[in-house]
Amino acid sequence: SDDGGATWTQSKSELKTPTSSLGELGSVEPVAIELKDGRILNLIRTQMGRFYESYSRDGGETWSPAEPSKIHSSDSPAGLLRLKDGRLFNFVNDCRRFPYAAGGRQVLHGTVSSD
């Protein structure tokens, strides 16, 4: 969207991630944020044990193929926001109910990145 969300245009790219043996979910609940260098980061929840990431250099028209990130994925989406000092803050619900994530939804972790 170029008008604050009033209208939307579909991207030319189709992002795909593997589907685990746990069920039908592949990629769900993505979150996106603009980085300092102008790229847009798309962080995608998967059941593969890691969030997958994709980047756009043209305002979201096209995206790089989704690749595993360094961030562990559980059974919840991430939450990205930019702090007042310019750093990125990522909320991750560390619910580990599946083989790669054993437990409940009561643990919330946060990570900070300056780049």
Side-chain angles (χ1 to χ4, degrees), residues 51-89:
F51 282 95
Y52 274 55
E53 61 190 9
S54 176
Y55 296 89
S56 176
R57 296 183 181 277
D58 57 12
E61 272 193 57
T62 58
W63 294 87
S64 66
E67 300 285 339
S69 74
K70 294 179 180 180
I71 304 169
H72 289 276
S73 175
S74 60
D75 190 32
S76 295
L80 292 171
L81 64 88
R82 185 166 304 282
L83 300 173
K84 289 181 181 181
D85 65 8
R87 296 178 299 162
L88 294 180
F89 191 87

